[in-house]
PDB file of all heavy atoms in Angstrom:
ATOM      1  N   VAL P 827       0.033 -11.670 -15.907  1.00  0.00           N
ATOM      2  CA  VAL P 827      -1.152 -12.523 -15.753  1.00  0.00           C
ATOM      3  C   VAL P 827      -1.408 -12.762 -14.263  1.00  0.00           C
ATOM      4  O   VAL P 827      -2.548 -12.656 -13.791  1.00  0.00           O
ATOM      5  CB  VAL P 827      -0.983 -13.852 -16.522  1.00  0.00           C
ATOM      6  CG1 VAL P 827      -2.051 -14.863 -16.119  1.00  0.00           C
ATOM      7  CG2 VAL P 827      -1.032 -13.601 -18.027  1.00  0.00           C
ATOM      8  N   LEU P 828      -0.367 -13.070 -13.512  1.00  0.00           N
ATOM      9  CA  LEU P 828      -0.515 -13.294 -12.066  1.00  0.00           C
ATOM     10  C   LEU P 828      -0.992 -12.021 -11.364  1.00  0.00           C
ATOM     11  O   LEU P 828      -1.797 -12.084 -10.427  1.00  0.00           O
ATOM     12  CB  LEU P 828       0.802 -13.776 -11.459  1.00  0.00           C
ATOM     13  CG  LEU P 828       1.282 -15.151 -11.927  1.00  0.00           C
ATOM     14  CD1 LEU P 828       2.660 -15.450 -11.355  1.00  0.00           C
ATOM     15  CD2 LEU P 828       0.293 -16.253 -11.581  1.00  0.00           C
ATOM     16  N   ASN P 829      -0.533 -10.859 -11.820  1.00  0.00           N
ATOM     17  CA  ASN P 829      -0.963  -9.592 -11.240  1.00  0.00           C
ATOM     18  C   ASN P 829      -2.450  -9.365 -11.482  1.00  0.00           C
ATOM     19  O   ASN P 829      -3.159  -8.860 -10.613  1.00  0.00           O
ATOM     20  CB  ASN P 829      -0.130  -8.440 -11.808  1.00  0.00           C
ATOM     21  CG  ASN P 829      -0.212  -7.180 -10.966  1.00  0.00           C
ATOM     22  OD1 ASN P 829      -0.615  -7.199  -9.818  1.00  0.00           O
ATOM     23  ND2 ASN P 829       0.189  -6.080 -11.553  1.00  0.00           N
ATOM     24  N   PHE P 830      -2.909  -9.738 -12.651  1.00  0.00           N
ATOM     25  CA  PHE P 830      -4.342  -9.632 -12.957  1.00  0.00           C
ATOM     26  C   PHE P 830      -5.125 -10.487 -11.960  1.00  0.00           C
ATOM     27  O   PHE P 830      -6.163 -10.068 -11.444  1.00  0.00           O
ATOM     28  CB  PHE P 830      -4.591 -10.105 -14.393  1.00  0.00           C
ATOM     29  CG  PHE P 830      -5.461  -9.204 -15.185  1.00  0.00           C
ATOM     30  CD1 PHE P 830      -4.973  -8.016 -15.696  1.00  0.00           C
ATOM     31  CD2 PHE P 830      -6.772  -9.529 -15.447  1.00  0.00           C
ATOM     32  CE1 PHE P 830      -5.761  -7.176 -16.444  1.00  0.00           C
ATOM     33  CE2 PHE P 830      -7.584  -8.698 -16.188  1.00  0.00           C
ATOM     34  CZ  PHE P 830      -7.079  -7.514 -16.687  1.00  0.00           C
ATOM     35  N   LEU P 831      -4.614 -11.689 -11.686  1.00  0.00           N
ATOM     36  CA  LEU P 831      -5.283 -12.589 -10.740  1.00  0.00           C
ATOM     37  C   LEU P 831      -5.190 -12.073  -9.308  1.00  0.00           C
ATOM     38  O   LEU P 831      -6.079 -12.325  -8.491  1.00  0.00           O
ATOM     39  CB  LEU P 831      -4.670 -13.986 -10.833  1.00  0.00           C
ATOM     40  CG  LEU P 831      -4.774 -14.658 -12.196  1.00  0.00           C
ATOM     41  CD1 LEU P 831      -4.033 -15.980 -12.194  1.00  0.00           C
ATOM     42  CD2 LEU P 831      -6.229 -14.836 -12.614  1.00  0.00           C
ATOM     43  N   LYS P 832      -4.147 -11.340  -9.015  1.00  0.00           N
ATOM     44  CA  LYS P 832      -3.908 -10.812  -7.679  1.00  0.00           C
ATOM     45  C   LYS P 832      -4.943  -9.762  -7.280  1.00  0.00           C
ATOM     46  O   LYS P 832      -5.131  -9.491  -6.094  1.00  0.00           O
ATOM     47  CB  LYS P 832      -2.497 -10.211  -7.645  1.00  0.00           C
ATOM     48  CG  LYS P 832      -1.946  -9.944  -6.289  1.00  0.00           C
ATOM     49  CD  LYS P 832      -0.489  -9.502  -6.446  1.00  0.00           C
ATOM     50  CE  LYS P 832       0.111  -9.072  -5.156  1.00  0.00           C
ATOM     51  NZ  LYS P 832       1.507  -8.645  -5.337  1.00  0.00           N
ATOM     52  N   THR P 833      -5.649  -9.195  -8.259  1.00  0.00           N
ATOM     53  CA  THR P 833      -6.641  -8.164  -7.947  1.00  0.00           C
ATOM     54  C   THR P 833      -7.702  -8.669  -6.977  1.00  0.00           C
ATOM     55  O   THR P 833      -8.285  -7.888  -6.242  1.00  0.00           O
ATOM     56  CB  THR P 833      -7.354  -7.646  -9.215  1.00  0.00           C
ATOM     57  OG1 THR P 833      -8.019  -8.725  -9.866  1.00  0.00           O
ATOM     58  CG2 THR P 833      -6.379  -6.951 -10.164  1.00  0.00           C
ATOM     59  N   GLY P 834      -7.955  -9.964  -6.965  1.00  0.00           N
ATOM     60  CA  GLY P 834      -9.009 -10.517  -6.115  1.00  0.00           C
ATOM     61  C   GLY P 834      -8.580 -10.862  -4.714  1.00  0.00           C
ATOM     62  O   GLY P 834      -9.396 -11.303  -3.905  1.00  0.00           O
ATOM     63  N   ALA P 835      -7.291 -10.685  -4.385  1.00  0.00           N
ATOM     64  CA  ALA P 835      -6.815 -11.001  -3.034  1.00  0.00           C
ATOM     65  C   ALA P 835      -7.533 -10.109  -2.026  1.00  0.00           C
ATOM     66  O   ALA P 835      -7.679  -8.913  -2.233  1.00  0.00           O
ATOM     67  CB  ALA P 835      -5.304 -10.803  -2.947  1.00  0.00           C
ATOM     68  N   ASP P 836      -8.000 -10.726  -0.948  1.00  0.00           N
ATOM     69  CA  ASP P 836      -8.704  -9.928   0.061  1.00  0.00           C
ATOM     70  C   ASP P 836      -8.045 -10.062   1.422  1.00  0.00           C
ATOM     71  O   ASP P 836      -7.139 -10.865   1.619  1.00  0.00           O
ATOM     72  CB  ASP P 836     -10.198 -10.257   0.115  1.00  0.00           C
ATOM     73  CG  ASP P 836     -10.491 -11.687   0.535  1.00  0.00           C
ATOM     74  OD1 ASP P 836      -9.772 -12.222   1.405  1.00  0.00           O
ATOM     75  OD2 ASP P 836     -11.446 -12.260   0.019  1.00  0.00           O
ATOM     76  N   THR P 837      -8.513  -9.273   2.350  1.00  0.00           N
ATOM     77  CA  THR P 837      -7.896  -9.194   3.668  1.00  0.00           C
ATOM     78  C   THR P 837      -8.025 -10.492   4.460  1.00  0.00           C
ATOM     79  O   THR P 837      -7.259 -10.728   5.374  1.00  0.00           O
ATOM     80  CB  THR P 837      -8.501  -8.035   4.479  1.00  0.00           C
ATOM     81  OG1 THR P 837      -9.925  -8.174   4.484  1.00  0.00           O
ATOM     82  CG2 THR P 837      -8.135  -6.696   3.887  1.00  0.00           C
ATOM     83  N   SER P 838      -8.952 -11.349   4.092  1.00  0.00           N
ATOM     84  CA  SER P 838      -9.124 -12.626   4.805  1.00  0.00           C
ATOM     85  C   SER P 838      -8.209 -13.717   4.251  1.00  0.00           C
ATOM     86  O   SER P 838      -8.212 -14.838   4.746  1.00  0.00           O
ATOM     87  CB  SER P 838     -10.581 -13.084   4.718  1.00  0.00           C
ATOM     88  OG  SER P 838     -10.896 -13.471   3.386  1.00  0.00           O
ATOM     89  N   GLY P 839      -7.459 -13.396   3.208  1.00  0.00           N
ATOM     90  CA  GLY P 839      -6.549 -14.379   2.622  1.00  0.00           C
ATOM     91  C   GLY P 839      -7.115 -15.103   1.420  1.00  0.00           C
ATOM     92  O   GLY P 839      -6.413 -15.866   0.760  1.00  0.00           O
ATOM     93  N   GLY P 840      -8.380 -14.884   1.113  1.00  0.00           N
ATOM     94  CA  GLY P 840      -8.993 -15.502  -0.067  1.00  0.00           C
ATOM     95  C   GLY P 840      -8.719 -14.692  -1.318  1.00  0.00           C
ATOM     96  O   GLY P 840      -8.111 -13.624  -1.277  1.00  0.00           O
ATOM     97  N   ASN P 841      -9.177 -15.227  -2.448  1.00  0.00           N
ATOM     98  CA  ASN P 841      -8.999 -14.519  -3.711  1.00  0.00           C
ATOM     99  C   ASN P 841     -10.086 -14.975  -4.680  1.00  0.00           C
ATOM    100  O   ASN P 841      -9.970 -16.024  -5.308  1.00  0.00           O
ATOM    101  CB  ASN P 841      -7.610 -14.779  -4.295  1.00  0.00           C
ATOM    102  CG  ASN P 841      -7.333 -13.965  -5.531  1.00  0.00           C
ATOM    103  OD1 ASN P 841      -8.218 -13.723  -6.348  1.00  0.00           O
ATOM    104  ND2 ASN P 841      -6.095 -13.557  -5.715  1.00  0.00           N
ATOM    105  N   SER P 842     -11.126 -14.175  -4.807  1.00  0.00           N
ATOM    106  CA  SER P 842     -12.267 -14.539  -5.648  1.00  0.00           C
ATOM    107  C   SER P 842     -11.891 -14.611  -7.131  1.00  0.00           C
ATOM    108  O   SER P 842     -12.402 -15.460  -7.864  1.00  0.00           O
ATOM    109  CB  SER P 842     -13.419 -13.552  -5.447  1.00  0.00           C
ATOM    110  OG  SER P 842     -13.006 -12.236  -5.800  1.00  0.00           O
ATOM    111  N   VAL P 843     -10.995 -13.745  -7.579  1.00  0.00           N
ATOM    112  CA  VAL P 843     -10.590 -13.747  -8.985  1.00  0.00           C
ATOM    113  C   VAL P 843      -9.809 -15.015  -9.296  1.00  0.00           C
ATOM    114  O   VAL P 843     -10.075 -15.706 -10.274  1.00  0.00           O
ATOM    115  CB  VAL P 843      -9.782 -12.476  -9.342  1.00  0.00           C
ATOM    116  CG1 VAL P 843      -9.225 -12.564 -10.755  1.00  0.00           C
ATOM    117  CG2 VAL P 843     -10.654 -11.233  -9.193  1.00  0.00           C
ATOM    118  N   LEU P 844      -8.853 -15.355  -8.449  1.00  0.00           N
ATOM    119  CA  LEU P 844      -8.067 -16.573  -8.645  1.00  0.00           C
ATOM    120  C   LEU P 844      -8.960 -17.804  -8.603  1.00  0.00           C
ATOM    121  O   LEU P 844      -8.853 -18.688  -9.461  1.00  0.00           O
ATOM    122  CB  LEU P 844      -6.965 -16.675  -7.590  1.00  0.00           C
ATOM    123  CG  LEU P 844      -6.114 -17.949  -7.643  1.00  0.00           C
ATOM    124  CD1 LEU P 844      -5.360 -18.050  -8.964  1.00  0.00           C
ATOM    125  CD2 LEU P 844      -5.154 -17.983  -6.468  1.00  0.00           C
ATOM    126  N   ASN P 845      -9.865 -17.868  -7.626  1.00  0.00           N
ATOM    127  CA  ASN P 845     -10.754 -19.031  -7.520  1.00  0.00           C
ATOM    128  C   ASN P 845     -11.626 -19.176  -8.754  1.00  0.00           C
ATOM    129  O   ASN P 845     -11.803 -20.281  -9.271  1.00  0.00           O
ATOM    130  CB  ASN P 845     -11.610 -18.939  -6.258  1.00  0.00           C
ATOM    131  CG  ASN P 845     -10.799 -19.124  -5.005  1.00  0.00           C
ATOM    132  OD1 ASN P 845      -9.727 -19.721  -5.020  1.00  0.00           O
ATOM    133  ND2 ASN P 845     -11.291 -18.587  -3.907  1.00  0.00           N
ATOM    134  N   SER P 846     -12.161 -18.076  -9.240  1.00  0.00           N
ATOM    135  CA  SER P 846     -12.986 -18.112 -10.450  1.00  0.00           C
ATOM    136  C   SER P 846     -12.165 -18.569 -11.648  1.00  0.00           C
ATOM    137  O   SER P 846     -12.603 -19.392 -12.452  1.00  0.00           O
ATOM    138  CB  SER P 846     -13.581 -16.728 -10.704  1.00  0.00           C
ATOM    139  OG  SER P 846     -14.315 -16.706 -11.903  1.00  0.00           O
ATOM    140  N   PHE P 847     -10.964 -18.052 -11.760  1.00  0.00           N
ATOM    141  CA  PHE P 847     -10.049 -18.386 -12.858  1.00  0.00           C
ATOM    142  C   PHE P 847      -9.701 -19.875 -12.832  1.00  0.00           C
ATOM    143  O   PHE P 847      -9.749 -20.549 -13.857  1.00  0.00           O
ATOM    144  CB  PHE P 847      -8.793 -17.531 -12.701  1.00  0.00           C
ATOM    145  CG  PHE P 847      -7.731 -17.738 -13.754  1.00  0.00           C
ATOM    146  CD1 PHE P 847      -7.907 -17.259 -15.041  1.00  0.00           C
ATOM    147  CD2 PHE P 847      -6.540 -18.367 -13.435  1.00  0.00           C
ATOM    148  CE1 PHE P 847      -6.914 -17.421 -16.002  1.00  0.00           C
ATOM    149  CE2 PHE P 847      -5.541 -18.523 -14.387  1.00  0.00           C
ATOM    150  CZ  PHE P 847      -5.728 -18.054 -15.672  1.00  0.00           C
ATOM    151  N   LEU P 848      -9.391 -20.410 -11.658  1.00  0.00           N
ATOM    152  CA  LEU P 848      -8.981 -21.807 -11.554  1.00  0.00           C
ATOM    153  C   LEU P 848     -10.157 -22.767 -11.635  1.00  0.00           C
ATOM    154  O   LEU P 848      -9.979 -23.923 -12.024  1.00  0.00           O
ATOM    155  CB  LEU P 848      -8.203 -22.048 -10.255  1.00  0.00           C
ATOM    156  CG  LEU P 848      -6.866 -21.332 -10.152  1.00  0.00           C
ATOM    157  CD1 LEU P 848      -6.199 -21.649  -8.821  1.00  0.00           C
ATOM    158  CD2 LEU P 848      -5.948 -21.698 -11.311  1.00  0.00           C
ATOM    159  N   ASP P 849     -11.343 -22.317 -11.286  1.00  0.00           N
ATOM    160  CA  ASP P 849     -12.509 -23.183 -11.325  1.00  0.00           C
ATOM    161  C   ASP P 849     -13.278 -23.075 -12.635  1.00  0.00           C
ATOM    162  O   ASP P 849     -14.382 -23.590 -12.758  1.00  0.00           O
ATOM    163  CB  ASP P 849     -13.447 -22.870 -10.157  1.00  0.00           C
ATOM    164  CG  ASP P 849     -12.831 -23.240  -8.828  1.00  0.00           C
ATOM    165  OD1 ASP P 849     -11.985 -24.155  -8.806  1.00  0.00           O
ATOM    166  OD2 ASP P 849     -13.172 -22.612  -7.818  1.00  0.00           O
ATOM    167  N   ALA P 850     -12.669 -22.409 -13.634  1.00  0.00           N
ATOM    168  CA  ALA P 850     -13.304 -22.294 -14.952  1.00  0.00           C
ATOM    169  C   ALA P 850     -13.561 -23.687 -15.505  1.00  0.00           C
ATOM    170  O   ALA P 850     -12.973 -24.673 -15.068  1.00  0.00           O
ATOM    171  CB  ALA P 850     -12.431 -21.483 -15.894  1.00  0.00           C
ATOM    172  N   ASP P 851     -14.392 -23.759 -16.500  1.00  0.00           N
ATOM    173  CA  ASP P 851     -14.846 -25.053 -17.010  1.00  0.00           C
ATOM    174  C   ASP P 851     -13.800 -25.849 -17.778  1.00  0.00           C
ATOM    175  O   ASP P 851     -14.069 -26.961 -18.210  1.00  0.00           O
ATOM    176  CB  ASP P 851     -16.098 -24.879 -17.866  1.00  0.00           C
ATOM    177  CG  ASP P 851     -15.868 -23.989 -19.079  1.00  0.00           C
ATOM    178  OD1 ASP P 851     -14.706 -23.675 -19.406  1.00  0.00           O
ATOM    179  OD2 ASP P 851     -16.867 -23.618 -19.707  1.00  0.00           O
ATOM    180  N   GLY P 852     -12.624 -25.308 -17.968  1.00  0.00           N
ATOM    181  CA  GLY P 852     -11.563 -26.065 -18.617  1.00  0.00           C
ATOM    182  C   GLY P 852     -11.711 -26.192 -20.116  1.00  0.00           C
ATOM    183  O   GLY P 852     -11.082 -27.039 -20.737  1.00  0.00           O
ATOM    184  N   ASP P 853     -12.508 -25.324 -20.723  1.00  0.00           N
ATOM    185  CA  ASP P 853     -12.699 -25.413 -22.176  1.00  0.00           C
ATOM    186  C   ASP P 853     -11.543 -24.784 -22.953  1.00  0.00           C
ATOM    187  O   ASP P 853     -11.568 -24.727 -24.169  1.00  0.00           O
ATOM    188  CB  ASP P 853     -14.028 -24.774 -22.595  1.00  0.00           C
ATOM    189  CG  ASP P 853     -14.077 -23.271 -22.358  1.00  0.00           C
ATOM    190  OD1 ASP P 853     -13.099 -22.704 -21.834  1.00  0.00           O
ATOM    191  OD2 ASP P 853     -15.107 -22.678 -22.700  1.00  0.00           O
ATOM    192  N   GLY P 854     -10.512 -24.334 -22.233  1.00  0.00           N
ATOM    193  CA  GLY P 854      -9.349 -23.742 -22.889  1.00  0.00           C
ATOM    194  C   GLY P 854      -9.539 -22.288 -23.250  1.00  0.00           C
ATOM    195  O   GLY P 854      -8.657 -21.659 -23.814  1.00  0.00           O
ATOM    196  N   ASP P 855     -10.682 -21.724 -22.928  1.00  0.00           N
ATOM    197  CA  ASP P 855     -10.980 -20.351 -23.294  1.00  0.00           C
ATOM    198  C   ASP P 855     -10.849 -19.441 -22.087  1.00  0.00           C
ATOM    199  O   ASP P 855     -11.798 -19.207 -21.372  1.00  0.00           O
ATOM    200  CB  ASP P 855     -12.401 -20.267 -23.871  1.00  0.00           C
ATOM    201  CG  ASP P 855     -12.760 -18.872 -24.319  1.00  0.00           C
ATOM    202  OD1 ASP P 855     -11.846 -18.086 -24.635  1.00  0.00           O
ATOM    203  OD2 ASP P 855     -13.960 -18.560 -24.364  1.00  0.00           O
ATOM    204  N   VAL P 856      -9.630 -18.980 -21.841  1.00  0.00           N
ATOM    205  CA  VAL P 856      -9.402 -18.017 -20.772  1.00  0.00           C
ATOM    206  C   VAL P 856      -9.489 -16.643 -21.405  1.00  0.00           C
ATOM    207  O   VAL P 856      -8.735 -16.331 -22.313  1.00  0.00           O
ATOM    208  CB  VAL P 856      -8.015 -18.232 -20.123  1.00  0.00           C
ATOM    209  CG1 VAL P 856      -7.747 -17.168 -19.076  1.00  0.00           C
ATOM    210  CG2 VAL P 856      -7.936 -19.611 -19.512  1.00  0.00           C
ATOM    211  N   ASP P 857     -10.421 -15.857 -20.941  1.00  0.00           N
ATOM    212  CA  ASP P 857     -10.649 -14.556 -21.559  1.00  0.00           C
ATOM    213  C   ASP P 857      -9.767 -13.471 -20.956  1.00  0.00           C
ATOM    214  O   ASP P 857     -10.196 -12.361 -20.708  1.00  0.00           O
ATOM    215  CB  ASP P 857     -12.125 -14.180 -21.497  1.00  0.00           C
ATOM    216  CG  ASP P 857     -12.693 -14.176 -20.084  1.00  0.00           C
ATOM    217  OD1 ASP P 857     -11.960 -14.526 -19.137  1.00  0.00           O
ATOM    218  OD2 ASP P 857     -13.864 -13.821 -19.938  1.00  0.00           O
ATOM    219  N   MET P 858      -8.471 -13.791 -20.738  1.00  0.00           N
ATOM    220  CA  MET P 858      -7.527 -12.860 -20.120  1.00  0.00           C
ATOM    221  C   MET P 858      -7.376 -11.582 -20.958  1.00  0.00           C
ATOM    222  O   MET P 858      -7.474 -10.483 -20.432  1.00  0.00           O
ATOM    223  CB  MET P 858      -6.170 -13.553 -19.954  1.00  0.00           C
ATOM    224  CG  MET P 858      -5.160 -12.770 -19.160  1.00  0.00           C
ATOM    225  SD  MET P 858      -5.548 -12.551 -17.420  1.00  0.00           S
ATOM    226  CE  MET P 858      -5.555 -14.219 -16.808  1.00  0.00           C
ATOM    227  N   PHE P 859      -7.134 -11.706 -22.250  1.00  0.00           N
ATOM    228  CA  PHE P 859      -6.960 -10.510 -23.072  1.00  0.00           C
ATOM    229  C   PHE P 859      -8.275  -9.750 -23.215  1.00  0.00           C
ATOM    230  O   PHE P 859      -8.288  -8.524 -23.185  1.00  0.00           O
ATOM    231  CB  PHE P 859      -6.384 -10.864 -24.445  1.00  0.00           C
ATOM    232  CG  PHE P 859      -6.076  -9.643 -25.277  1.00  0.00           C
ATOM    233  CD1 PHE P 859      -5.200  -8.667 -24.830  1.00  0.00           C
ATOM    234  CD2 PHE P 859      -6.677  -9.456 -26.515  1.00  0.00           C
ATOM    235  CE1 PHE P 859      -4.922  -7.538 -25.594  1.00  0.00           C
ATOM    236  CE2 PHE P 859      -6.402  -8.329 -27.280  1.00  0.00           C
ATOM    237  CZ  PHE P 859      -5.528  -7.371 -26.809  1.00  0.00           C
ATOM    238  N   ASP P 860      -9.383 -10.474 -23.336  1.00  0.00           N
ATOM    239  CA  ASP P 860     -10.681  -9.805 -23.375  1.00  0.00           C
ATOM    240  C   ASP P 860     -10.888  -8.979 -22.105  1.00  0.00           C
ATOM    241  O   ASP P 860     -11.362  -7.846 -22.162  1.00  0.00           O
ATOM    242  CB  ASP P 860     -11.828 -10.819 -23.511  1.00  0.00           C
ATOM    243  CG  ASP P 860     -11.857 -11.490 -24.865  1.00  0.00           C
ATOM    244  OD1 ASP P 860     -11.231 -10.968 -25.804  1.00  0.00           O
ATOM    245  OD2 ASP P 860     -12.487 -12.554 -24.975  1.00  0.00           O
ATOM    246  N   ALA P 861     -10.510  -9.563 -20.967  1.00  0.00           N
ATOM    247  CA  ALA P 861     -10.643  -8.837 -19.699  1.00  0.00           C
ATOM    248  C   ALA P 861      -9.756  -7.593 -19.705  1.00  0.00           C
ATOM    249  O   ALA P 861     -10.163  -6.537 -19.220  1.00  0.00           O
ATOM    250  CB  ALA P 861     -10.289  -9.751 -18.526  1.00  0.00           C
ATOM    251  N   MET P 862      -8.564  -7.713 -20.286  1.00  0.00           N
ATOM    252  CA  MET P 862      -7.671  -6.546 -20.363  1.00  0.00           C
ATOM    253  C   MET P 862      -8.264  -5.461 -21.251  1.00  0.00           C
ATOM    254  O   MET P 862      -8.179  -4.279 -20.939  1.00  0.00           O
ATOM    255  CB  MET P 862      -6.293  -6.955 -20.863  1.00  0.00           C
ATOM    256  CG  MET P 862      -5.464  -7.632 -19.837  1.00  0.00           C
ATOM    257  SD  MET P 862      -3.813  -7.903 -20.480  1.00  0.00           S
ATOM    258  CE  MET P 862      -3.021  -8.512 -19.012  1.00  0.00           C
ATOM    259  N   GLN P 863      -8.850  -5.869 -22.369  1.00  0.00           N
ATOM    260  CA  GLN P 863      -9.455  -4.879 -23.261  1.00  0.00           C
ATOM    261  C   GLN P 863     -10.629  -4.184 -22.584  1.00  0.00           C
ATOM    262  O   GLN P 863     -10.787  -2.967 -22.705  1.00  0.00           O
ATOM    263  CB  GLN P 863      -9.910  -5.547 -24.559  1.00  0.00           C
ATOM    264  CG  GLN P 863      -8.758  -5.942 -25.456  1.00  0.00           C
ATOM    265  CD  GLN P 863      -9.235  -6.618 -26.719  1.00  0.00           C
ATOM    266  OE1 GLN P 863     -10.062  -7.523 -26.679  1.00  0.00           O
ATOM    267  NE2 GLN P 863      -8.700  -6.175 -27.847  1.00  0.00           N
ATOM    268  N   LEU P 864     -11.449  -4.946 -21.859  1.00  0.00           N
ATOM    269  CA  LEU P 864     -12.556  -4.350 -21.145  1.00  0.00           C
ATOM    270  C   LEU P 864     -12.056  -3.412 -20.045  1.00  0.00           C
ATOM    271  O   LEU P 864     -12.619  -2.336 -19.835  1.00  0.00           O
ATOM    272  CB  LEU P 864     -13.464  -5.440 -20.552  1.00  0.00           C
ATOM    273  CG  LEU P 864     -14.276  -6.226 -21.576  1.00  0.00           C
ATOM    274  CD1 LEU P 864     -14.910  -7.447 -20.915  1.00  0.00           C
ATOM    275  CD2 LEU P 864     -15.339  -5.353 -22.205  1.00  0.00           C
ATOM    276  N   ALA P 865     -10.986  -3.818 -19.365  1.00  0.00           N
ATOM    277  CA  ALA P 865     -10.407  -2.944 -18.339  1.00  0.00           C
ATOM    278  C   ALA P 865      -9.903  -1.650 -18.961  1.00  0.00           C
ATOM    279  O   ALA P 865     -10.091  -0.571 -18.400  1.00  0.00           O
ATOM    280  CB  ALA P 865      -9.270  -3.667 -17.615  1.00  0.00           C
ATOM    281  N   SER P 866      -9.303  -1.765 -20.124  1.00  0.00           N
ATOM    282  CA  SER P 866      -8.804  -0.582 -20.816  1.00  0.00           C
ATOM    283  C   SER P 866      -9.949   0.358 -21.144  1.00  0.00           C
ATOM    284  O   SER P 866      -9.854   1.581 -20.943  1.00  0.00           O
ATOM    285  CB  SER P 866      -8.078  -1.001 -22.100  1.00  0.00           C
ATOM    286  OG  SER P 866      -7.623   0.128 -22.788  1.00  0.00           O
ATOM    287  N   ARG P 867     -11.053  -0.184 -21.635  1.00  0.00           N
ATOM    288  CA  ARG P 867     -12.205   0.654 -21.937  1.00  0.00           C
ATOM    289  C   ARG P 867     -12.802   1.252 -20.655  1.00  0.00           C
ATOM    290  O   ARG P 867     -13.208   2.411 -20.633  1.00  0.00           O
ATOM    291  CB  ARG P 867     -13.277  -0.151 -22.681  1.00  0.00           C
ATOM    292  CG  ARG P 867     -12.978  -0.233 -24.155  1.00  0.00           C
ATOM    293  CD  ARG P 867     -14.082  -0.918 -24.906  1.00  0.00           C
ATOM    294  NE  ARG P 867     -13.417  -2.068 -25.500  1.00  0.00           N
ATOM    295  CZ  ARG P 867     -13.956  -3.217 -25.748  1.00  0.00           C
ATOM    296  NH1 ARG P 867     -15.208  -3.440 -25.501  1.00  0.00           N
ATOM    297  NH2 ARG P 867     -13.257  -4.195 -26.269  1.00  0.00           N
ATOM    298  N   HIS P 868     -12.833   0.439 -19.609  1.00  0.00           N
ATOM    299  CA  HIS P 868     -13.369   0.903 -18.330  1.00  0.00           C
ATOM    300  C   HIS P 868     -12.548   2.069 -17.790  1.00  0.00           C
ATOM    301  O   HIS P 868     -13.085   2.998 -17.195  1.00  0.00           O
ATOM    302  CB  HIS P 868     -13.386  -0.256 -17.324  1.00  0.00           C
ATOM    303  CG  HIS P 868     -13.885   0.127 -15.982  1.00  0.00           C
ATOM    304  ND1 HIS P 868     -15.218   0.361 -15.711  1.00  0.00           N
ATOM    305  CD2 HIS P 868     -13.230   0.330 -14.806  1.00  0.00           C
ATOM    306  CE1 HIS P 868     -15.361   0.692 -14.442  1.00  0.00           C
ATOM    307  NE2 HIS P 868     -14.168   0.671 -13.880  1.00  0.00           N
ATOM    308  N   LEU P 869     -11.230   2.006 -18.002  1.00  0.00           N
ATOM    309  CA  LEU P 869     -10.346   3.070 -17.536  1.00  0.00           C
ATOM    310  C   LEU P 869     -10.201   4.195 -18.567  1.00  0.00           C
ATOM    311  O   LEU P 869      -9.432   5.121 -18.363  1.00  0.00           O
ATOM    312  CB  LEU P 869      -8.964   2.494 -17.217  1.00  0.00           C
ATOM    313  CG  LEU P 869      -8.908   1.482 -16.092  1.00  0.00           C
ATOM    314  CD1 LEU P 869      -7.510   0.889 -15.988  1.00  0.00           C
ATOM    315  CD2 LEU P 869      -9.327   2.096 -14.767  1.00  0.00           C
ATOM    316  N   SER P 870     -10.935   4.089 -19.668  1.00  0.00           N
ATOM    317  CA  SER P 870     -10.890   5.073 -20.765  1.00  0.00           C
ATOM    318  C   SER P 870      -9.489   5.260 -21.299  1.00  0.00           C
ATOM    319  O   SER P 870      -8.991   6.376 -21.441  1.00  0.00           O
ATOM    320  CB  SER P 870     -11.458   6.413 -20.309  1.00  0.00           C
ATOM    321  OG  SER P 870     -12.786   6.266 -19.883  1.00  0.00           O
ATOM    322  N   ARG P 871      -8.822   4.155 -21.631  1.00  0.00           N
ATOM    323  CA  ARG P 871      -7.454   4.201 -22.171  1.00  0.00           C
ATOM    324  C   ARG P 871      -7.456   3.800 -23.607  1.00  0.00           C
ATOM    325  O   ARG P 871      -7.999   2.924 -24.075  1.00  0.00           O
ATOM    326  CB  ARG P 871      -6.529   3.282 -21.401  1.00  0.00           C
ATOM    327  CG  ARG P 871      -6.263   3.819 -20.021  1.00  0.00           C
ATOM    328  CD  ARG P 871      -5.318   2.888 -19.320  1.00  0.00           C
ATOM    329  NE  ARG P 871      -4.884   3.528 -18.120  1.00  0.00           N
ATOM    330  CZ  ARG P 871      -3.632   3.572 -17.745  1.00  0.00           C
ATOM    331  NH1 ARG P 871      -2.690   3.037 -18.442  1.00  0.00           N
ATOM    332  NH2 ARG P 871      -3.306   4.157 -16.622  1.00  0.00           N
TER     333      ARG P 871
END
């Protein structure tokens, strides 16, 4: 899960993926597995 969040780390020290993940609306719906499934389709796996 942390590695998935690490994808957004940039050369300036920020991390857009982590910031988006942490600033989510708090409804308890983290679409982590959905994101993995979409990544799998994107990579044709």
Side-chain angles (χ1 to χ4, degrees):
V827 167
L828 294 175
N829 198 17
F830 226 76
L831 300 175
K832 195 174 174 180
T833 60
D836 63 37
T837 53
S838 69
N841 185 324
S842 60
V843 173
L844 177 62
N845 290 337
S846 176
F847 180 73
L848 295 180
D849 293 333
D851 61 12
D853 66 358
D855 182 25
V856 176
D857 56 357
M858 188 67 63
F859 185 58
D860 291 343
M862 284 186 173
Q863 288 179 312
L864 290 169
S866 179
R867 278 185 240 149
H868 179 74
L869 296 174
S870 301
R871 289 181 170 227

